[in-house]
Amino acid sequence: MKKISFALLSLLMCLPAYADWVSYQRNADAEEFFDSTSVKREQGKIQLWTLTNYAAPITSLEGQELYSEKSWTTIDCGANKIGVEKMTKHAEKNGQGALVGTMETTLRMTKVRADSADQVLIAKLCQ
């Protein structure tokens, strides 16, 4: 239990205290944002917080309903790849409300699909 608590605490400490959420994609199911205050650029890679607000609640793997997810996202502009290392799931929109779940994993970069929200984000940030 201490290991889980420490991981959760370290993840929450990484969340931005103040965020300036910029919308970059909206469709019938969700709206996607990035935090312009968290953008870090280094050697062709960008790291930042992203936020997804769902139009209707979705069910987590744990069986709980959530309305939003925040993700610590890495973009490799040259390779056109994206990956997530940390994620928090929230019961309300805008990353608010009860914490439904967290995830922390090794970064695995995947190729970005054409016409996806990830492609829109890369086009906006990798100029």
Side-chain angles (χ1 to χ4, degrees):
M1 185 67 169
K2 287 183 182 179
K3 189 174 188 176
I4 293 171
S5 298
F6 179 74
L8 178 60
L9 180 61
S10 66
L11 177 62
L12 292 176
M13 288 178 12
C14 293
L15 292 174
Y18 170 78
D20 185 14
W21 297 109
V22 177
S23 177
Y24 66 89
Q25 175 77 10
R26 182 190 314 218
N27 60 38
D29 298 323
E31 185 170 9
E32 310 272 348
F33 302 86
F34 71 92
D35 174 16
S36 64
T37 65
S38 71
V39 176
K40 297 178 184 178
R41 298 174 187 270
E42 188 175 313
Q43 300 175 350
K45 291 187 180 173
I46 300 172
Q47 291 184 306
L48 70 158
W49 282 103
T50 58
L51 168 69
T52 303
N53 279 338
Y54 297 104
I58 64 170
T59 304
S60 71
L61 294 175
E62 301 82 17
Q64 296 176 294
E65 286 190 344
L66 61 112
Y67 270 99
S68 64
E69 297 176 332
K70 288 183 186 176
S71 303
W72 182 243
T73 303
T74 300
I75 298 169
D76 184 329
C77 294
N80 198 38
K81 291 185 175 185
I82 196 165
V84 171
E85 293 175 85
K86 301 171 187 169
M87 179 184 287
T88 58
K89 301 172 184 184
H90 301 269
E92 297 177 20
K93 291 189 178 192
N94 301 316
Q96 301 295 310
L99 190 63
V100 174
T102 63
M103 178 195 76
E104 195 164 347
T105 186
T106 303
L107 178 62
R108 284 184 276 172
M109 305 292 284
T110 58
K111 197 79 167 159
V112 174
R113 291 179 301 130
D115 299 322
S116 67
D118 291 338
Q119 184 61 50
V120 173
L121 180 62
I122 285 177
K124 187 165 191 78
L125 295 174
C126 294
Q127 300 175 8

